[in-house]
Amino acid sequence: MIAAQRPMVQSLLDGVARIGADPPGITREAYGRGENEAMALLAGAAQALDLDCSFDAGANLTMRWPGTDPEAPPILVGSHLDSVVQGGNFDGAAGVIAGLAAVAALQASGVRPRAGIEVLALRCEEAVWFGLGLIGSRSLLARLPAGALALPHARSGLTLGQSIAACGGDPARLANGVPLRDPKTLGAYLEVHIEQAPQLIEAEQAVAICLANPGNVRHPRIRISGEDAHTGLPHRFRRDAALAGAEFALALERLWLEEDRAGRPMAVTIGRFHTLADRHAMTVVPGQFELSLDLRAYDPTHLARLEARLQAIAAEVGAARDVTIALGERSAAAPGAMEAGIVAGLARAAGKLGLAAPRLNSPGSHDANNFAAAGVPTGMLLVRNANGSHNPHEAMATDDLLAATGVLALFLAEHAA
């Protein structure tokens, strides 16, 4: 019955691509036209399957297939529909579409689950829009940090609260800190997502079972302050913010390599790295420099230790270069370890379908992190994808997504029964 869902799956993949078309890639702006139109497209597909569609106070879309036992904890299947600017088509959207396809396959097979199955399209997973990621699941589970509703949107300038209200949500409801769904009443959360490192390309396998997602600590606007000066100034007098930025970045890379050699996986990403556009010039020693930092690891204790090292490195470089390094605003996401029983269940389902499905860590943080951190039993499937993600060249094959959908559907048939 999975193969029979191919036309619907391909139509939805093509539909969200048309909505987000922004050559050379895809842009589906969170709380904007792209995300809203993609939600409308998928809601239409869900209604064609007789699913009940509703929006919560965070403006997340829930597409619900009721079970025969209204007291049974529902199983949630979700991901997101927004993208980074000029990214690829499959990061997030493929997972929501897989959820709908799994429900369609179960319906076609005559399955009627005891526990309800809910497909979620979660808002604003990507951190590019507000400097804070995983916003839909944070909203759902009351995990928004203090002050988040006042964060400005990168394009519209509206605050997060205003953006949610503009999409029919209720930011006042989110501000009270009470989860929109009690985690204790949820049976499980499952997510399908393209791989973000070419591990499955390397292994020549279509699908993997995720073991864990990293948590992260993010500083979107690190500011280094030294002193503007003439280019002829001798080195001993300089307070060069740009060279301090370079030294800071290389020190973080050395930390990463040390941790790798010790067998402690982590990652450092510096996405913004620049002198100030309105001040820099070829004949000025720069007194100001800015960068962003995403620091991630799979274990909360390890992540806390790395954050302490970050602060020490900032102090050391600042002292050596006679500059001030202000880390600035901070956001964090908890690491997400997948629930052992779900990992085993997904492995059994994959085995029945003849899929090797290696067990791998994901290099990315996902909405699954928040469900796992809230105590909801959580599992993820990774789908083979060439060329990584967050770029226009994501290259997931529809057949690989259907393979993951088959594993998901079989797991749901067994665990929602």
Side-chain angles (χ1 to χ4, degrees):
M1 291 297 177
I2 294 297
Q5 308 313 316
R6 195 180 207 286
M8 179 187 77
V9 168
Q10 192 62 60
S11 175
L12 291 175
L13 290 173
D14 293 344
V16 294
R18 284 192 297 272
I19 288 167
D22 184 14
I26 295 290
T27 303
R28 289 189 292 266
E29 181 177 338
Y31 302 102
R33 184 195 67 82
E35 189 180 62
N36 290 337
E37 290 188 11
M39 286 200 168
L41 176 68
L42 268 65
Q47 289 162 350
L49 298 172
D50 292 324
L51 305 190
D52 300 326
C53 295
S54 62
F55 289 89
D56 64 25
N60 299 306
L61 170 63
T62 298
M63 298 166 278
R64 183 178 292 104
W65 186 24
T68 58
D69 180 1
E71 301 301 317
I75 296 179
L76 279 52
V77 180
S79 195
H80 63 101
L81 295 174
D82 67 314
S83 75
V84 300
V85 177
Q86 293 187 329
N89 191 44
F90 307 119
D91 184 340
V96 186
I97 292 168
L100 288 177
V103 167
L106 293 175
Q107 290 178 341
S109 300
V111 172
R112 182 65 194 278
R114 183 179 68 85
I117 298 172
E118 303 180 13
V119 181
L120 305 184
L122 295 161
R123 291 279 183 175
C124 193
E125 192 261 6
E126 302 293 0
V128 297
W129 303 110
F130 291 94
L132 176 72
L134 315 179
I135 286 176
S137 53
R138 289 179 191 268
S139 299
L140 188 72
L141 299 165
R143 298 183 68 83
L144 285 172
L149 291 172
L151 292 171
H153 192 289
R155 283 194 170 175
S156 72
L158 295 175
T159 66
L160 175 57
Q162 291 168 334
S163 300
I164 290 171
C167 294
D170 182 2
R173 169 73 175 80
L174 302 180
N176 67 17
V178 177
L180 304 181
R181 302 289 295 273
D182 183 351
K184 296 184 179 64
T185 68
L186 304 177
Y189 173 81
L190 301 169
E191 185 166 347
V192 176
H193 204 283
I194 60 171
E195 66 168 338
Q196 294 170 299
Q199 299 175 98
L200 287 169
I201 298 292
E202 183 179 66
E204 299 183 343
Q205 300 294 329
V207 180
I209 297 163
C210 182
L211 294 175
N213 296 329
N216 62 62
V217 172
R218 287 172 170 163
H219 291 277
R221 295 175 187 85
I222 298 174
R223 294 179 174 88
I224 303 178
S225 300
E227 186 174 44
D228 290 347
H230 187 278
T231 50
L233 193 69
H235 188 279
R236 67 185 181 278
F237 298 122
R238 291 192 182 207
R239 300 177 61 216
D240 189 323
L243 288 182
E247 186 170 338
F248 181 63
L250 290 173
L252 289 171
E253 185 186 37
R254 286 193 295 273
L255 169 62
W256 184 2
L257 296 174
E258 288 170 9
E259 296 297 299
D260 269 357
R261 286 191 292 269
R264 296 186 291 266
M266 62 163 292
V268 169
T269 302
I270 296 173
R272 293 175 52 248
F273 191 77
H274 56 88
T275 50
L276 305 189
D278 60 344
R279 295 287 302 280
H280 61 197
M282 190 173 71
T283 57
V284 175
V285 175
Q288 299 290 324
F289 196 83
E290 293 190 358
L291 65 150
S292 65
L293 175 65
D294 180 304
L295 181 67
R296 55 185 57 196
Y298 292 89
D299 176 79
T301 302
H302 186 206
L303 188 58
R305 190 165 64 248
L306 292 173
E307 187 168 15
R309 290 285 302 277
L310 163 66
Q311 292 166 351
I313 288 169
E316 290 163 7
V317 173
R321 292 278 178 179
D322 194 18
V323 300
T324 300
I325 301 180
L327 297 178
E329 307 98 302
R330 174 191 182 276
S331 67
M338 301 300 105
E339 201 269 332
I342 293 180
V343 169
L346 291 171
R348 285 194 299 272
K352 290 178 181 178
L353 296 174
L355 297 168
R359 301 184 185 192
L360 301 171
N361 286 336
S362 169
S365 301
H366 303 285
D367 288 303
N369 289 51
N370 282 326
F371 286 93
V376 179
T378 299
M380 282 190 70
L381 292 169
L382 304 175
V383 184
R384 178 167 51 190
N385 164 60
N387 306 324
S389 70
H390 289 192
N391 71 69
H393 307 296
E394 292 172 6
M396 179 201 72
T398 301
D399 285 344
D400 289 347
L401 181 61
L402 290 171
T405 302
V407 176
L408 176 63
L410 186 53
F411 179 92
L412 292 172
E414 293 180 353
H415 288 76

